[in-house]
DNA sequence: TATTATACTGTATATTTTTACAGTATATTA
DNA sequence: TAATATACTGTAAAAATATACAGTATAATA
């Protein structure tokens, strides 16, 4: 998550406080009044920046259409709107806004380890690990992975979920389905970027 | 607190659901669309009644200026401490305190359907459905189940998680593992009590 | 039996609100 | 050095929204 500037933090706090006090988000004008700005465009621009950085989402065309994605302070409890990543566009960063399919309200600490986003599973390559198509795998962004971990790896422009096995320069990405082949990468020849590892899974029946 | 009429309850629920989904309250027109009213005044009048009875407060002159004073149910973007049911003691009600292994902080509405508790899976009888030992299956308490649903059924003093199939007096509880046999019950001879059905699953890696 | 509450449709309007556009200025990055 | 991000003022118009008013109809209450 990108860092916020001082003013952006002020605006986000203002929205949170207003929401906490009234139960609904403020208008641009109300933010201005609260923070001493003289133009509604000042608030507008800060809100746009906050959206771009993933802290809020703005429902275009709706009055007070601000929802908080990631709270700074937790007023109520610890529930964030965790992003669900569907198909990742080639070359784009996994967490880019255009890859976010929806958001689910849940506790980032509901699993043993914290996590950053859900990855929606495509295909059947992990079926023998009880991971089905459309399951949501909770991913913690980290490069600190051990052999045997279930990891998200980017190869060229493809993102894949497999078991991790590394031995010197040889990386193996192992599926859990006998119909799929292990992906073998020689790290001297090809890059592989570990995006994170799975800390849990949720499935809707 | 005064009692609500059927329609007022509907409107209040509508506001709560909208708020839970978007993070801000609905407009009169949006309530109408949701509930099938054709005039914004229909929503207006219900909101006035809800305010008069103390369930909400309305900020006059503000768009979406509805705040909920008294919630009907706890929807929340906030998390509840959902109970995890481990081994169920023979004869005791499933949700009895002594059966609660721990509690997990999460949103009761994180799946498509709401749920009441997590059941910790024992054994391998559902492995081919991608349900492993120690997975937590989210159970909604209900007796309204259809053939093919994944249900929690109590037979005598045993609680089991299986696929449901009922045909007249014949009840079949079908596992997802070829090494396990389908449980067949003649309802004229033996009682079977449907405790609920699965709406989702979570697993910690 | 008159009154009040519930439960709406339908229309209209004043107000609220978003949002685009035109500027100004500074700091940081490429 | 040019481009981009931040950080605003000021104005205006289009769109969203609240809300008043005029009705109709039914059920409950005094």
């Amino acid at each position: 998550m990108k860092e916020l500037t001082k003013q952006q933090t002020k605006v986000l706090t203002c929205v949170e406080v207003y929401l906490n006090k009234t139960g609904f988000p403020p208008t641009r004008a109300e933010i201005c009044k609260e923070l001493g700005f003289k133009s509604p465009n000042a608030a507008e621009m800060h809100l746009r920046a906050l959206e771009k950085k993933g802290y809020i989402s703005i429902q275009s065309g709706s009055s007070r259409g601000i929802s908080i994605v990631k709270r700074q302070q937790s007023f109520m409890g610890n529930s964030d709107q965790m992003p669900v990543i569907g198909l990742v566009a080639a070359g784009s960063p996994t967490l880019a806004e255009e890859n976010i399919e929806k958001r689910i309200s849940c506790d980032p600490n509901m699993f043993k380890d914290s996590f950053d986003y859900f990855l929606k599973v495509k295909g059947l390559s992990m079926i023998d690990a009880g991971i089905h198509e459309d399951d949501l795998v909770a991913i913690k962004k980290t490069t600190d992975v051990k052999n045997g971990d279930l990891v998200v790896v980017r190869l060229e422009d493809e993102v894949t979920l497999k078991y991790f096995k590394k031995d010197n320069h040889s990386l193996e990405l192992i599926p859990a389905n006998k119909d799929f082949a292990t992906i073998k990468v020689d790290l001297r020849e090809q890059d592989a970027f570990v995006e994170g590892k799975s800390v849990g899974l949720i499935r809707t029946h």
Side-chain angles (χ1 to χ4, degrees), chain A:
Chain A
M1 189 73 60
K2 275 173 198 159
E3 289 268 313
L4 294 183
T5 67
K6 223 166 193 176
Q7 289 303 85
Q8 286 163 4
T9 304
K10 267 193 191 175
V11 172
L12 182 53
T13 301
C14 174
V15 174
E16 287 181 354
V17 168
Y18 190 102
L19 205 45
N20 200 44
K21 204 168 58 186
T22 66
F24 46 90
T27 64
R28 276 56 167 174
E30 284 160 350
I31 294 171
C32 289
K33 200 183 163 192
E34 197 63 37
L35 300 180
F37 303 152
K38 289 181 181 164
S39 166
N41 196 43
E44 179 72 30
M45 287 311 160
H46 285 309
L47 291 175
R48 295 269 175 89
L50 286 168
E51 189 181 36
K52 209 171 164 187
K53 292 184 178 178
Y55 284 77
I56 64 173
S57 81
I58 299 173
Q59 180 90 258
S60 153
S62 292
S63 65
R64 303 176 188 274
I66 304 168
S67 44
I68 290 184
V69 171
K70 186 173 171 61
R71 279 178 191 279
Q72 298 180 102
Q73 305 112 302
S74 50
F75 287 95
M76 318 277 273
N78 32 3
S79 175
D80 276 350
Q81 300 275 8
M82 303 304 287
V84 175
I85 307 298
L87 259 184
V88 179
S92 74
T94 313
L95 267 172
E97 198 61 37
E98 68 264 25
N99 295 326
I100 297 178
E101 209 167 84
K102 59 172 181 173
R103 292 174 191 274
I104 291 182
S105 176
C106 64
D107 184 345
N109 295 295
M110 60 185 283
F111 301 110
K112 266 182 216 131
D113 216 337
S114 68
F115 69 104
D116 299 289
Y117 61 92
F118 286 114
L119 185 70
K120 193 172 197 173
V121 174
K122 293 290 157 212
L124 304 171
S125 70
M126 297 304 289
I127 194 103
D128 292 341
I131 300 171
H132 293 200
E133 180 134 31
D134 291 334
D135 283 0
L136 303 181
V137 176
I139 303 296
K140 181 190 180 73
K141 280 200 288 184
T142 178
T143 53
D144 173 32
V145 298
K146 296 183 297 293
N147 285 348
D149 280 352
L150 183 58
V151 298
V152 177
V153 177
R154 180 182 290 273
L155 286 174
E156 309 282 307
D157 279 342
E158 200 186 349
V159 169
T160 186
L161 179 75
K162 296 285 183 304
Y163 285 124
F164 182 85
K165 188 178 173 193
K166 191 177 159 186
D167 193 8
N168 254 327
H169 294 294
S170 151
L171 172 65
E172 289 186 25
L173 299 172
I174 306 166
N177 182 336
K178 59 187 182 315
D179 298 335
F180 284 70
T182 293
I183 301 172
K184 288 178 186 169
V185 179
D186 186 327
L187 294 172
R188 288 163 300 187
E189 288 170 15
Q190 192 184 352
D191 271 352
F193 178 67
V194 176
E195 299 226 347
K197 67 177 176 187
S198 166
V199 301
L201 173 149
I202 76 175
R203 176 186 303 156
T204 295
H205 282 149

